Short mmCIF file of all heavy atoms in Angstrom, two decimals:
data_model
loop_
_atom_site.label_atom_id
_atom_site.label_comp_id
_atom_site.label_asym_id
_atom_site.label_seq_id
_atom_site.Cartn_x
_atom_site.Cartn_y
_atom_site.Cartn_z
N ASP A 30 111.29 62.71 87.94
CA ASP A 30 110.98 61.39 88.47
C ASP A 30 111.78 60.29 87.75
O ASP A 30 112.29 59.38 88.37
CB ASP A 30 109.48 61.09 88.36
CG ASP A 30 109.11 59.81 89.11
OD1 ASP A 30 109.57 59.66 90.25
OD2 ASP A 30 108.39 58.98 88.54
N ALA A 31 111.90 60.38 86.45
CA ALA A 31 112.56 59.31 85.70
C ALA A 31 113.29 59.84 84.47
O ALA A 31 112.89 59.58 83.33
CB ALA A 31 111.52 58.26 85.29
N PRO A 32 114.37 60.59 84.67
CA PRO A 32 115.13 61.10 83.52
C PRO A 32 115.80 59.97 82.75
O PRO A 32 116.05 58.90 83.31
CB PRO A 32 116.18 62.02 84.18
CG PRO A 32 116.34 61.47 85.55
CD PRO A 32 114.99 60.96 85.95
N ASN A 33 116.10 60.21 81.49
CA ASN A 33 116.70 59.19 80.64
C ASN A 33 118.05 59.67 80.12
O ASN A 33 118.12 60.58 79.30
CB ASN A 33 115.76 58.87 79.47
CG ASN A 33 116.29 57.76 78.59
OD1 ASN A 33 117.05 56.92 79.05
ND2 ASN A 33 115.91 57.77 77.33
N THR A 34 119.12 59.07 80.61
CA THR A 34 120.46 59.43 80.17
C THR A 34 121.37 58.21 80.24
O THR A 34 121.14 57.29 81.05
CB THR A 34 121.06 60.55 81.04
OG1 THR A 34 122.43 60.76 80.66
CG2 THR A 34 121.02 60.21 82.52
N ILE A 35 122.38 58.21 79.41
CA ILE A 35 123.37 57.14 79.43
C ILE A 35 124.16 57.14 80.73
O ILE A 35 124.71 56.12 81.14
CB ILE A 35 124.30 57.27 78.22
CG1 ILE A 35 125.08 55.99 78.00
CG2 ILE A 35 125.24 58.47 78.36
CD1 ILE A 35 125.80 55.94 76.68
N ALA A 36 124.20 58.28 81.40
CA ALA A 36 124.91 58.41 82.68
C ALA A 36 124.02 57.89 83.81
O ALA A 36 123.41 58.66 84.55
CB ALA A 36 125.31 59.86 82.92
N ASP A 37 123.94 56.57 83.94
CA ASP A 37 122.95 55.95 84.83
C ASP A 37 123.13 56.32 86.29
O ASP A 37 122.18 56.28 87.08
CB ASP A 37 122.97 54.43 84.67
CG ASP A 37 124.30 53.81 85.09
OD1 ASP A 37 125.24 53.78 84.27
OD2 ASP A 37 124.40 53.37 86.25
N GLY A 38 124.35 56.70 86.68
CA GLY A 38 124.58 57.06 88.07
C GLY A 38 124.12 58.46 88.44
O GLY A 38 124.18 58.84 89.61
N LEU A 39 123.63 59.22 87.45
CA LEU A 39 123.27 60.63 87.69
C LEU A 39 121.77 60.89 87.47
O LEU A 39 121.38 62.01 87.17
CB LEU A 39 124.10 61.55 86.78
CG LEU A 39 125.61 61.36 86.85
CD1 LEU A 39 126.32 62.33 85.92
CD2 LEU A 39 126.12 61.53 88.28
N LYS A 40 120.95 59.87 87.63
CA LYS A 40 119.52 60.01 87.34
C LYS A 40 118.70 60.45 88.54
O LYS A 40 117.51 60.71 88.40
CB LYS A 40 118.96 58.69 86.81
CG LYS A 40 119.48 58.29 85.44
CD LYS A 40 118.83 56.98 84.98
CE LYS A 40 119.24 56.60 83.58
NZ LYS A 40 118.58 55.36 83.13
N VAL A 41 119.30 60.49 89.72
CA VAL A 41 118.53 60.77 90.93
C VAL A 41 118.53 62.26 91.27
O VAL A 41 119.46 62.99 90.92
CB VAL A 41 119.06 59.94 92.12
CG1 VAL A 41 118.72 58.47 91.92
CG2 VAL A 41 120.56 60.12 92.28
N PRO A 42 117.48 62.73 91.96
CA PRO A 42 117.37 64.16 92.26
C PRO A 42 118.10 64.57 93.54
O PRO A 42 118.39 63.73 94.40
CB PRO A 42 115.86 64.35 92.44
CG PRO A 42 115.40 63.04 93.03
CD PRO A 42 116.27 61.98 92.38
N LEU A 43 118.37 65.86 93.65
CA LEU A 43 118.91 66.42 94.89
C LEU A 43 117.90 66.24 96.02
O LEU A 43 116.69 66.16 95.80
CB LEU A 43 119.19 67.91 94.72
CG LEU A 43 120.28 68.29 93.71
CD1 LEU A 43 120.22 69.79 93.43
CD2 LEU A 43 121.65 67.90 94.22
N LYS A 44 118.41 66.19 97.25
CA LYS A 44 117.57 66.18 98.45
C LYS A 44 117.99 67.34 99.34
O LYS A 44 118.93 68.07 99.05
CB LYS A 44 117.70 64.84 99.18
CG LYS A 44 117.18 63.63 98.39
CD LYS A 44 115.66 63.60 98.33
CE LYS A 44 115.15 62.29 97.73
NZ LYS A 44 113.69 62.24 97.67
N GLU A 45 117.31 67.49 100.47
CA GLU A 45 117.50 68.67 101.32
C GLU A 45 118.95 68.86 101.75
O GLU A 45 119.49 69.97 101.72
CB GLU A 45 116.59 68.59 102.55
CG GLU A 45 115.11 68.73 102.25
CD GLU A 45 114.51 67.44 101.70
OE1 GLU A 45 115.21 66.39 101.71
OE2 GLU A 45 113.34 67.47 101.26
N LEU A 46 119.60 67.76 102.17
CA LEU A 46 120.95 67.89 102.71
C LEU A 46 121.96 68.24 101.62
O LEU A 46 122.82 69.11 101.80
CB LEU A 46 121.35 66.58 103.41
CG LEU A 46 122.60 66.60 104.28
CD1 LEU A 46 122.58 67.75 105.28
CD2 LEU A 46 122.76 65.27 105.01
N THR A 47 121.85 67.57 100.47
CA THR A 47 122.79 67.88 99.39
C THR A 47 122.50 69.25 98.79
O THR A 47 123.42 69.95 98.38
CB THR A 47 122.75 66.80 98.30
OG1 THR A 47 121.40 66.57 97.87
CG2 THR A 47 123.32 65.48 98.82
N TRP A 48 121.23 69.64 98.77
CA TRP A 48 120.88 70.98 98.27
C TRP A 48 121.52 72.06 99.14
O TRP A 48 121.93 73.11 98.64
CB TRP A 48 119.37 71.15 98.23
CG TRP A 48 118.92 72.54 97.89
CD1 TRP A 48 118.21 73.40 98.68
CD2 TRP A 48 119.15 73.25 96.66
NE1 TRP A 48 117.99 74.60 98.04
CE2 TRP A 48 118.55 74.54 96.80
CE3 TRP A 48 119.81 72.95 95.48
CZ2 TRP A 48 118.60 75.49 95.78
CZ3 TRP A 48 119.85 73.91 94.47
CH2 TRP A 48 119.25 75.16 94.63
N HIS A 49 121.63 71.80 100.44
CA HIS A 49 122.29 72.76 101.33
C HIS A 49 123.71 73.06 100.83
O HIS A 49 124.11 74.23 100.74
CB HIS A 49 122.36 72.21 102.76
CG HIS A 49 123.35 72.92 103.64
ND1 HIS A 49 123.07 74.13 104.25
CD2 HIS A 49 124.64 72.62 103.96
CE1 HIS A 49 124.14 74.53 104.92
NE2 HIS A 49 125.09 73.64 104.77
N PHE A 50 124.46 72.02 100.50
CA PHE A 50 125.84 72.21 100.05
C PHE A 50 125.89 72.81 98.64
O PHE A 50 126.68 73.72 98.37
CB PHE A 50 126.60 70.88 100.09
CG PHE A 50 126.96 70.46 101.48
CD1 PHE A 50 126.21 69.51 102.16
CD2 PHE A 50 128.04 71.03 102.14
CE1 PHE A 50 126.53 69.12 103.45
CE2 PHE A 50 128.38 70.65 103.44
CZ PHE A 50 127.61 69.70 104.09
N VAL A 51 125.04 72.31 97.75
CA VAL A 51 125.03 72.82 96.37
C VAL A 51 124.69 74.31 96.35
O VAL A 51 125.36 75.11 95.69
CB VAL A 51 124.04 72.02 95.50
CG1 VAL A 51 123.84 72.69 94.14
CG2 VAL A 51 124.54 70.59 95.31
N SER A 52 123.65 74.69 97.07
CA SER A 52 123.18 76.08 97.02
C SER A 52 124.13 77.05 97.70
O SER A 52 124.17 78.23 97.36
CB SER A 52 121.78 76.19 97.65
OG SER A 52 121.80 75.76 98.99
N ASN A 53 124.93 76.55 98.63
CA ASN A 53 125.84 77.43 99.37
C ASN A 53 127.28 77.46 98.87
O ASN A 53 127.99 78.44 99.10
CB ASN A 53 125.86 77.03 100.85
CG ASN A 53 124.63 77.51 101.61
OD1 ASN A 53 124.45 78.70 101.82
ND2 ASN A 53 123.76 76.58 101.98
N HIS A 54 127.71 76.40 98.16
CA HIS A 54 129.13 76.30 97.85
C HIS A 54 129.48 76.03 96.39
O HIS A 54 130.64 76.23 96.01
CB HIS A 54 129.77 75.21 98.72
CG HIS A 54 129.69 75.46 100.18
ND1 HIS A 54 130.37 76.48 100.81
CD2 HIS A 54 128.98 74.84 101.16
CE1 HIS A 54 130.11 76.47 102.10
NE2 HIS A 54 129.26 75.49 102.35
#
């Protein structure tokens, strides 16, 4: 829900559509 990292652009979680590409490719 709320990760803490200096990489502020990478704090959001995967969703269904992006998971499709990540899990397959």
Side-chain angles (χ1 to χ4, degrees):
D30 189 46
N33 183 26
T34 174
I35 195 168
D37 64 276
L39 306 181
K40 292 182 176 182
V41 290
L43 295 167
K44 295 287 189 180
E45 291 79 8
L46 192 51
T47 52
W48 173 243
H49 163 80
F50 286 100
V51 170
S52 60
N53 283 291
H54 299 292

